[in-house]
Amino acid sequence: MHLKTPQEIQLMREGGHILAEILDVLVDAVRVGMPTKELDTMARELITARGAKPSFLNYNGFPAVLCVSINEEIVHGLPSERKLKDGDLVKLDLGVLYKGFHTDSARSVIVGSASPKIRKLVDVTAEALRIGIDTAQVGKTLGDVGYAIHEYVKSQGYDVVRDLIGHGIGAEVHEEPEVPNYGKPGQGPVLKVGLVIAIEPMVVIGGHKIANGPDGFSYITADKKPSAHIEHTVAITENGPEILTK
Ligand code: MG
Ligand code: MG
């Protein structure tokens, strides 16, 4: 595990702020009829204008800067000519490299009018992330964090994806430790000051099994039921968890 110095966390705070501003613009731009490629083009321009670099471009061969995943697509969706439709649940996932450090964040956005079912899915995912972050205190374990997320999600009648998880982040976009959205209390690595992790619950209405999507990059729910995903990069500090991507 790479523990970060206060100076390194300050750089990640700056990068995370840039990332949050870009996601704000992208979320505001989402509208019915928009090809998802347009969001990727916007993200590219906004990253460059702020002196940052995209983390995901060419990562494992991914040819875009922004992941755009719709409905049953959980994560890693490839932007395309596909147009957003009224009622779509779209997940925007972006990473930026700034002054040598990556930050990673994702939002779930409902396009146009939302059904109560999809609205609840997004609300539960946001609350699961809030609970996970809240649990990420010095001395707690990643098992505590995953357990808190999973128990809450189950209490709402939903489930979490097991085969995709959060991660440590810093000079590399994916670092140790793994940050699952499930776990056992008291198990797993202990959270220490200077650890920076991406916490990212992926919540499903149906079963948690995943499959490969038709675009060659995305993961989808095996039962094709919708999934929501919200992510923040979080620093563990002696004053508690700090969201860097806000
Ligand atoms: Mg991400
Ligand atoms: Mg991530």
Side-chain angles (χ1 to χ4, degrees):
M1 274 193 233
H2 298 274
L3 301 180
K4 276 79 184 174
T5 65
Q7 291 76 18
E8 289 171 333
I9 289 178
Q10 176 56 28
L11 296 178
M12 295 186 78
R13 194 179 283 122
E14 290 169 25
H17 186 68
I18 289 169
L19 170 51
E21 284 183 340
I22 294 171
L23 281 174
D24 285 345
V25 174
L26 297 177
V27 166
D28 277 353
V30 165
R31 62 176 192 278
V32 174
M34 177 186 250
T36 58
K37 238 182 168 166
E38 222 172 279
L39 291 164
D40 183 64
T41 304
M42 285 180 69
R44 242 173 241 254
E45 290 168 359
L46 291 163
I47 289 170
T48 306
R50 282 165 170 80
K53 290 196 169 122
S55 300
F56 301 158
L57 182 64
N58 299 325
Y59 189 89
N60 292 331
F62 192 73
V65 308
L66 179 72
C67 296
V68 184
S69 309
I70 303 171
N71 300 333
E72 76 276 11
E73 294 172 346
I74 305 163
V75 286
H76 302 177
L78 184 64
S80 71
E81 300 300 333
R82 178 174 174 180
K83 291 187 170 81
L84 295 173
K85 293 205 300 270
D86 188 57
D88 274 347
L89 172 55
V90 60
K91 283 78 67 173
L92 306 178
D93 191 350
L94 186 65
V96 302
L97 174 63
Y98 184 73
K99 295 187 176 172
F101 290 90
H102 296 272
T103 48
D104 187 3
S105 183
R107 311 259 182 100
S108 284
V109 189
I110 300 165
V111 183
S113 46
S115 70
K117 188 176 82 167
I118 297 298
R119 169 65 55 202
K120 183 184 169 192
L121 175 63
V122 173
D123 290 347
V124 166
T125 308
E127 180 63 5
L129 175 58
R130 192 195 66 74
I131 289 168
I133 292 169
D134 232 46
T135 309
Q137 308 282 342
V138 175
K140 295 273 192 176
T141 69
L142 285 170
D144 295 328
V145 172
Y147 178 78
I149 290 171
H150 197 191
E151 286 304 299
Y152 170 71
V153 169
K154 281 194 290 187
S155 79
Q156 300 302 305
Y158 296 155
D159 205 351
V160 298
V161 170
R162 315 294 156 83
D163 294 340
L164 301 162
I165 54 180
H167 48 94
I169 183 165
E172 303 293 332
V173 66
H174 291 122
E175 296 183 352
E176 291 295 312
E178 297 186 334
V179 183
N181 298 300
Y182 53 89
K184 294 200 174 90
Q187 307 239 314
V190 177
L191 297 172
K192 294 187 179 130
V193 171
L195 184 64
V196 182
I197 51 177
I199 305 179
E200 47 181 315
M202 287 154 255
V203 177
V204 291
I205 287 177
H208 66 78
K209 291 272 189 297
I210 68 170
N212 292 307
D215 65 11
F217 291 96
S218 63
Y219 289 104
I220 62 172
T221 54
D223 59 13
K224 305 268 181 79
K225 290 188 177 166
S227 171
H229 173 223
I230 310 179
E231 173 179 26
H232 272 308
T233 296
V234 178
I236 311 307
T237 80
E238 53 209 2
N239 302 319
E242 180 188 342
I243 300 173
L244 300 179
T245 42
K246 67 170 188 200

